[in-house]
Amino acid sequence: MELNESIYDGLKREVFEETGLTITEIEASQKRIDTCGINYDFEVECVEPYCVYQTIKGPVDSAGMYFICRAGGRLLIEGDDTTNIRWISIEEVHQMMLDVPCNSAM
């Protein structure tokens, strides 16, 4: 996300830059709440993503949000920071997650 960019605007921009697709619908976007300060100059955006992750161990600190979206347009072959863009099934994503298990003691 860019500085002062809304979450949904960042989502739409990144998806377009990396895939060439235009987001047409974001699930649960109607639940977005925008709070602005009365006595202070601030604005807070609250959204409901599908899933959120945070790296808790490893060489790179990262956090991210996943959203369920509909998109249209023509899929790029390569985006700004992506290569080998392709559609895969939910089952393939699930198998990829199983192939790299996380062994952590909680």
Side-chain angles (χ1 to χ4, degrees):
M1 289 178 47
E2 304 292 338
L3 184 62
N4 299 320
E5 181 177 42
S6 79
I7 294 169
Y8 290 152
D9 288 347
L11 170 65
K12 292 173 184 177
R13 180 184 51 75
E14 281 293 331
V15 167
F16 183 76
E17 289 176 0
E18 302 304 334
T19 68
L21 301 176
T22 300
I23 297 290
T24 58
E25 181 182 337
I26 303 169
E27 187 172 300
S29 62
Q30 72 278 7
K31 295 181 180 181
R32 180 185 180 276
I33 298 172
D34 192 44
T35 304
C36 297
I38 297 172
N39 297 324
Y40 301 97
D41 184 27
F42 72 88
E43 184 174 356
V44 177
E45 175 183 45
C46 298
V47 300
E48 183 178 312
Y50 168 71
C51 181
V52 176
Y53 79 87
Q54 176 184 348
T55 302
I56 54 176
K57 181 180 179 183
V60 177
D61 290 331
S62 66
M65 295 173 276
Y66 291 88
F67 293 88
I68 297 174
C69 304
R70 291 192 186 278
R74 191 174 185 101
L75 190 62
L76 297 175
I77 294 172
E78 290 189 11
D80 280 356
D81 296 314
T82 54
T83 57
N84 195 21
I85 299 172
R86 66 199 182 281
W87 292 109
I88 62 174
S89 69
I90 292 172
E91 291 78 17
E92 288 176 274
V93 173
H94 184 248
Q95 188 59 52
M96 290 167 65
M97 294 170 71
L98 293 175
D99 290 344
V100 185
C102 179
N103 298 318
S104 63
M106 298 240 166

